Amino acid sequence: GYYATSSDIHEQKTVEEELRRTNTILSAHFDNTPLAVMEWDTALRIVRWSGQAESIFGWSASETLRRPLSGWRLLYEDDEASVSEMIKGLMEGRERHATLLHRNYRKDGSVIWVEWHNSALRDGSGKVISILTLAQDVSSRMQAEERLQFMATHDGLTSLPNSVLLNDRLEATLSRALRARSRVAVMFLDLDHFKDVNDTLGHRVGDLLLKEVSRRIRAALRQIDVLARISGDEFVVVLEDLPDEDAPDHVARKILDEVRRPFQIEGHEIHVSGSLGLALYPEDGTDSETLLKNADAAMYQAKELGRNGFRAFSMELGQRRAHRRTIETALRRALKSDELRLHFQPIMDIKDGRVTRAEALLRWYDPGHGLVLPAGFIPLAEESGLGHAVGHWVLDAASRQARAWRDAGLGDIVVCVNLSASQLRDTAMLADLKKTLQRNGCEPSWLQFEITETSMVRDVEGASLVLAKLRALGMRIAIDDFGTGFSSLSHLRTLPVDVLKVDKAFVADIDARPGSKNTRDPERGDRAGGAAIVSAVIGLARGLGLDVVAEGVEKQEQLDFLKAQGCAAAQGYLICQPLPADEFEAWLRSRARRKPPRKKRLTS
Ligand code: C2E
Ligand code: MG
Ligand code: MG
């Protein structure tokens, strides 16, 4: 017979089935995933090495199984420490998972970036029995990131560090210098007239020139020196570990010499020069921002001093810059908050003593500084782009005043307005002027304009076009400070002008006769020429059919001389100081009462 026992193994079979299924799923996943799957036993020998692991690292499963982690070229030397630290953490049960990005060698010796996701596998009692690793080759991502990082910190044209990286490097340099108590030199270099190269030879040649300039400067520096291109034609050099006191000067000269040597670019021989400013740590600043700002200020001064040279930063230079900035801000406010005023100085016809013109002279009552004269802020306004706004204010105020005086029955007073260089260049000035005149009910002939020769030098043709248009509107034009600018007689012949104003410097020297003790002034040379110049200008004006006004007449002898020479009009403290509008009006009225015009007195 037979004997049978049976037991219910359904549970067991289901579990087995389940296990098999899980295993199949896992294996399918392991084989299909783009990740390399690896497993290490507790002795850190490889017990699993998937097909994807082979394609990422190059070794086959048969070459790697049973191999320990160390002892072959899989780990990149610099990253070994961090990998063993991570494995220790997993093995000792401190961590369950750990992700690490590091470099690995491939079988062919090349280096790849790999992201490792590791998990500790445990048995029922919780003991770690192996480590499962899923790994991914992220080299192309890392390269893209490196590339992006490079692009964000370097200049695309020259591959030099840009201002972002310069700041980092400079900060690092300064903290080293602080510890080592050493000095650092920061240099700011700007090419002179680089725009001309771009304009005449094109941007391509301009770009090639910049590349060549940066190559030459780089070659003139030590490896540890930083050279950065921070914008167009501006470079910054940072020198640390200065070998001696003279090193910065020496390097500055070397850089400028390199820039000055002619460049051969696409068949063109190009000559450029540079202006360089130097600031030293710690004396000229202890943080990167101040040092860069001061090197920049010194560079500007090198430009002002005629370019093609270098300047070291000095405290006065810094103070001047700071002063400029304060004035600029204050002037912006002044325009808004009614701090500007016009003063008026009479211009007297010498023959009969009549006053038919007044020069409008700008004054600024700064609540912080008191009265500021135009020399203290007009050049600055011009530099900072406030010239238009100031000019507009003056035109508006002057035309309103001209109207007001006509309305008040003060006579046919012509208001003489000084025009600046930027107003002459401003294409919108004419339209603005017409609108202003209309708004204020002022006839063009009630104004006269004064322009200095120097304000026209940049573009005589352009200026003379504007002057012709002003004249066509019905205004008279005077050349101010005549004799101190370029005084080209050929220009004078063609410029549309009506009046010459002889500069006060010549008038002041009228009485310095040749042979007198006081004829040589170390600053002004031979002053005795004053009288000769004044009479020459008067003669010249007469020959050209122009009116002449002598400025700065302070003494009766000067007025007598001018009268004898046939000068038409005079202006100066002898007659009257510049006065606020109401005082000018009062002055003119009392004068009319006290002193009838000479002509009438002569005939009566
Ligand atoms: P400017 O047009 O040659 O003005 C004459 C300057 O000589 C004025 O100086 C006037 O106050 C001064 N002056 C008058 N009489 C005498 C005198 O007898 N002796 C001496 N030593 N000086 C005398 P101010 O007012 O300081 O103006 C200086 C310059 O500023 C002006 O020279 C003019 O070029 C400019 N300026 C004044 N107002 C304006 C303005 O509204 N716009 C522009 N663009 N420039 C202006
Ligand atoms: Mg003037
Ligand atoms: Mg003048």
Side-chain angles (χ1 to χ4, degrees):
Y2 78 79
Y3 176 83
T5 63
S6 68
S7 61
D8 177 2
I9 59 163
H10 179 76
E11 185 98 343
Q12 187 189 335
K13 277 290 170 198
T14 327
V15 171
E16 269 176 20
E17 185 57 31
E18 190 59 26
L19 261 178
R20 224 186 339 267
R21 230 175 68 79
T22 314
N23 246 332
T24 324
I25 292 176
L26 259 181
S27 301
H29 274 318
F30 284 174
D31 289 338
N32 291 331
T33 169
L35 305 175
V37 182
M38 296 164 285
E39 195 178 341
W40 324 79
D41 65 12
T42 45
L44 288 185
R45 282 181 310 233
I46 291 174
V47 291
R48 188 194 293 270
W49 187 263
S50 73
Q52 193 58 26
E54 178 175 343
S55 55
I56 290 180
F57 294 101
W59 287 280
S60 67
S62 57
E63 288 172 297
T64 51
L65 285 176
R66 306 272 138 229
R67 266 203 188 184
L69 178 61
S70 55
W72 54 308
R73 243 164 90 89
L74 175 68
L75 295 181
Y76 189 77
E77 294 82 356
D78 290 357
D79 297 343
E80 256 175 61
S82 56
V83 173
S84 19
E85 182 59 29
M86 173 203 67
I87 289 174
K88 231 171 108 193
L90 288 166
M91 284 297 181
E92 290 171 2
R94 273 184 280 124
E95 319 265 1
R96 292 179 146 273
H97 314 279
T99 296
L100 199 63
L101 179 68
H102 55 83
R103 281 158 293 185
N104 283 108
Y105 285 109
R106 297 188 77 241
K107 189 181 175 183
D108 63 12
S110 57
V111 177
I112 50 176
W113 277 97
V114 180
E115 197 166 56
W116 291 47
H117 304 275
N118 305 290
S119 331
L121 302 183
R122 293 154 191 263
D123 63 8
S125 66
K127 208 173 89 192
V128 177
I129 47 168
S130 67
I131 291 174
L132 184 70
T133 303
L134 302 178
Q136 185 182 11
D137 180 357
V138 292
S139 303
S140 50
R141 191 184 88 202
M142 291 302 287
Q143 274 156 9
E145 274 175 21
E146 273 172 16
R147 179 86 211 124
L148 276 179
Q149 177 74 8
F150 186 86
M151 284 182 344
T153 51
H154 289 77
D155 160 44
L157 180 70
T158 59
S159 298
L160 291 176
N162 63 11
S163 52
V164 177
L165 188 54
L166 168 69
N167 269 320
D168 281 2
R169 296 260 170 100
L170 185 52
E171 299 275 345
T173 305
L174 292 179
S175 48
R176 279 195 296 274
L178 177 69
R179 282 195 302 272
R181 294 170 181 274
S182 57
R183 296 165 82 221
V184 175
V186 177
M187 297 177 180
F188 210 107
L189 171 76
D190 188 289
L191 300 185
D192 300 328
H193 305 300
F194 174 70
K195 196 177 159 296
D196 293 350
V197 176
N198 265 343
D199 288 351
T200 51
L201 299 174
H203 284 259
R204 235 177 64 77
V205 174
D207 282 357
L208 292 174
L209 176 66
L210 286 174
K211 273 174 126 162
E212 193 51 27
V213 167
S214 46
R215 204 191 51 74
R216 277 197 198 166
I217 302 176
R218 187 62 266 181
L221 298 173
R222 298 169 304 172
Q223 198 56 45
I224 57 160
D225 301 334
V226 178
L227 170 66
R229 176 176 175 234
I230 56 166
S231 73
D233 59 347
E234 291 180 328
F235 297 86
V236 168
V237 176
V238 178
L239 311 176
E240 64 176 308
D241 276 339
L242 301 172
D244 55 65
E245 283 274 302
D246 301 331
D249 288 24
H250 178 73
V251 175
R253 281 181 219 290
K254 200 154 109 185
I255 291 175
L256 290 177
D257 285 346
E258 283 299 327
V259 172
R260 263 195 295 265
R261 261 195 309 125
F263 291 87
Q264 302 291 342
I265 290 169
E266 296 205 327
H268 303 282
E269 179 167 298
I270 303 176
H271 295 259
V272 282
S273 58
S275 299
L276 193 147
L278 166 70
L280 289 170
Y281 168 89
E283 45 271 64
D284 300 331
T286 49
D287 59 278
S288 56
E289 194 186 333
T290 311
L291 285 165
L292 283 169
K293 195 183 71 197
N294 291 346
D296 182 39
M299 184 276 288
Y300 262 97
Q301 213 204 6
K303 286 231 185 255
E304 276 165 19
L305 291 173
R307 301 170 200 262
N308 188 13
F310 92 94
R311 282 303 285 185
F313 178 79
S314 65
M315 262 322 163
E316 313 106 82
L317 178 59
Q319 280 160 357
R320 263 223 320 270
R321 284 247 133 184
H323 176 66
R324 259 194 201 182
R325 259 197 304 279
T326 346
I327 297 226
E328 205 182 300
T329 327
L331 188 54
R332 278 181 209 283
R333 187 203 56 222
L335 276 162
K336 281 195 209 124
S337 51
D338 199 29
E339 291 168 18
L340 298 180
R341 287 282 176 279
L342 285 182
H343 280 194
F344 297 88
Q345 186 175 33
I347 297 173
M348 181 188 81
D349 295 344
I350 296 181
K351 235 190 308 169
D352 55 15
R354 275 175 15 115
V355 170
T356 50
R357 282 175 275 181
E359 178 170 5
L361 294 159
L362 188 56
R363 299 290 180 264
W364 173 15
Y365 289 94
D366 180 353
H369 295 89
L371 176 71
V372 191
L373 289 173
F377 67 94
I378 286 193
L380 201 131
E382 290 281 285
E383 264 173 52
S384 60
L386 286 171
H388 298 306
V390 172
H392 173 84
W393 186 92
V394 171
L395 283 174
D396 184 57
S399 55
R400 247 184 302 131
Q401 192 59 64
R403 171 85 232 181
W405 280 335
R406 302 268 158 160
D407 291 347
L410 205 65
D412 297 343
I413 293 286
V414 170
V415 176
C416 305
V417 178
N418 293 284
L419 280 190
S420 67
S422 71
Q423 280 176 292
L424 273 182
R425 285 196 302 270
D426 181 7
T427 46
M429 194 270 282
L430 227 70
D432 178 50
L433 171 68
K434 280 188 213 161
K435 256 190 257 159
T436 308
L437 292 185
Q438 211 165 33
R439 191 178 56 242
N440 293 331
C442 174
E443 293 292 329
S445 60
W446 300 352
L447 296 186
Q448 176 175 310
F449 284 130
E450 298 190 0
I451 291 119
T452 63
E453 294 163 286
T454 17
S455 70
M456 288 185 281
V457 270
R458 270 233 221 143
D459 175 16
V460 185
E461 280 75 31
S464 82
L465 227 68
V466 176
L467 297 186
K469 285 183 186 157
L470 289 173
R471 231 169 156 216
L473 281 180
M475 285 148 188
R476 300 208 328 152
I477 311 286
I479 296 203
D480 205 351
D481 304 348
F482 186 75
T484 58
F486 65 108
S487 299
S488 153
L489 294 184
S490 61
H491 282 141
L492 195 58
R493 207 158 37 89
T494 49
L495 273 177
V497 296
D498 309 275
V499 186
L500 292 187
K501 291 190 81 172
V502 187
D503 190 67
K504 52 182 172 288
F506 303 122
V507 175
D509 293 346
I510 284 178
D511 43 350
R513 301 251 172 239
S516 82
K517 265 194 219 153
N518 201 11
T519 53
R520 284 206 80 81
D521 180 323
E523 291 205 344
R524 278 157 55 188
D526 187 0
R527 298 176 50 212
I533 292 177
V534 172
S535 48
V537 173
I538 295 171
L540 179 70
R542 196 181 298 132
L544 291 168
L546 303 176
D547 189 5
V548 198
V549 178
E551 295 187 293
V553 179
E554 295 178 351
K555 297 183 190 152
Q556 189 58 46
E557 304 91 83
Q558 293 165 348
L559 189 61
D560 294 342
F561 175 85
L562 292 165
K563 188 171 183 178
Q565 296 293 319
C567 179
Q571 173 184 2
Y573 298 160
L574 178 70
I575 301 149
C576 183
Q577 306 244 341
L579 299 171
D582 51 346
E583 288 178 33
F584 173 82
E585 196 178 325
W587 178 86
L588 202 61
R589 287 191 196 282
S590 78
R591 186 180 156 90
R593 275 196 302 275
R594 265 193 294 125
K595 193 169 145 197
R598 260 191 215 156
K599 222 179 188 173
K600 275 190 193 158
R601 202 168 50 186
L602 284 177
T603 46
S604 64

